[in-house]
Amino acid sequence: MNESKTYNDCEICSTLKDVEEHNKLWSKEIDLLPPTAGKLQNILYYQGAYLQKCPLCGTYYKDISWNELFSDGWTEFVKLERISITMTVYYLIQGNLFAELKNLALSKKENAKVILTEIMKIYKDSWINKDLITKNGEELNELKNFCNEILSS
């Protein structure tokens, strides 16, 4: 097991708050987020948000941006949020990123438990997740077995 360092020890993530929220008028050229946020890697775009990952410590973030028109012009809003492992697993399953999920399971046994729990929730609510199960049932079962092997070792 590769028990990696925490985001508090990471040269990228330690400079980011749990939630970074910024906005600006389009007419003003300023960076909305700390420069280190630009080092995060986009993993997935899902439901209007980017799932991003720190290349150094593996911490995941949800990045949302949107624009609104006010009387003084367009304003851009940006929200970068460090997300829980449970939310990360949800996004990765919805995005069919099973290789990423296996790597996550290998990084910590606790992650394998979370992944297994989320898979069980999918099957428990099979009437809601029918399309996901139909499309990815084989991968979900393979991932479930993979996580069970990690937990039994």
Side-chain angles (χ1 to χ4, degrees):
M1 253 337 105
N2 172 22
E3 299 290 332
S4 58
K5 62 183 176 180
T6 68
Y7 66 84
N8 291 320
D9 301 321
C10 177
E11 67 184 61
I12 294 173
C13 297
S14 64
T15 66
L16 300 171
K17 299 176 195 170
D18 287 340
V19 178
E20 296 274 358
E21 293 184 276
H22 302 277
N23 60 53
K24 71 169 182 171
L25 278 172
W26 277 15
S27 59
K28 302 201 175 164
E29 292 299 322
I30 58 170
D31 286 331
L32 295 179
L33 296 172
T36 52
K39 295 179 180 178
L40 300 175
Q41 300 170 334
N42 287 335
I43 301 294
L44 171 71
Y45 183 77
Y46 179 72
Q47 292 186 343
Y50 284 97
L51 178 65
Q52 295 183 320
K53 181 180 179 181
C54 175
L56 300 181
C57 72
T59 299
Y60 288 87
Y61 295 83
K62 181 172 69 171
D63 181 11
I64 303 171
S65 61
W66 67 97
N67 304 306
E68 292 185 22
L69 180 59
F70 295 99
S71 59
D72 54 351
W74 284 96
T75 299
E76 181 177 359
F77 295 87
V78 175
K79 181 177 181 181
L80 180 68
E81 180 179 7
R82 189 175 292 121
I83 60 174
S84 68
I85 194 67
T86 302
M87 188 56 73
T88 298
V89 169
Y90 171 82
Y91 277 115
L92 293 173
I93 289 173
Q94 296 302 319
N96 305 319
L97 297 175
F98 293 99
E100 185 76 16
L101 283 157
K102 284 184 176 181
N103 288 334
L104 190 61
L106 284 170
S107 69
K108 289 184 184 177
K109 275 192 173 186
E110 183 61 35
N111 292 347
K113 286 181 191 175
V114 172
I115 292 168
L116 206 49
T117 300
E118 291 305 302
I119 291 172
M120 295 296 106
K121 286 180 187 175
I122 288 170
Y123 282 108
K124 182 180 176 212
D125 297 330
S126 60
W127 60 277
I128 295 172
N129 298 303
K130 181 181 176 189
D131 291 340
L132 181 64
I133 293 169
T134 301
K135 184 177 176 187
N136 300 304
E138 189 174 315
E139 289 90 348
L140 287 167
N141 281 326
E142 182 182 319
L143 183 60
K144 181 177 79 170
N145 293 336
F146 184 81
C147 289
N148 278 325
E149 286 176 25
I150 289 172
L151 293 172
S152 65
S153 65

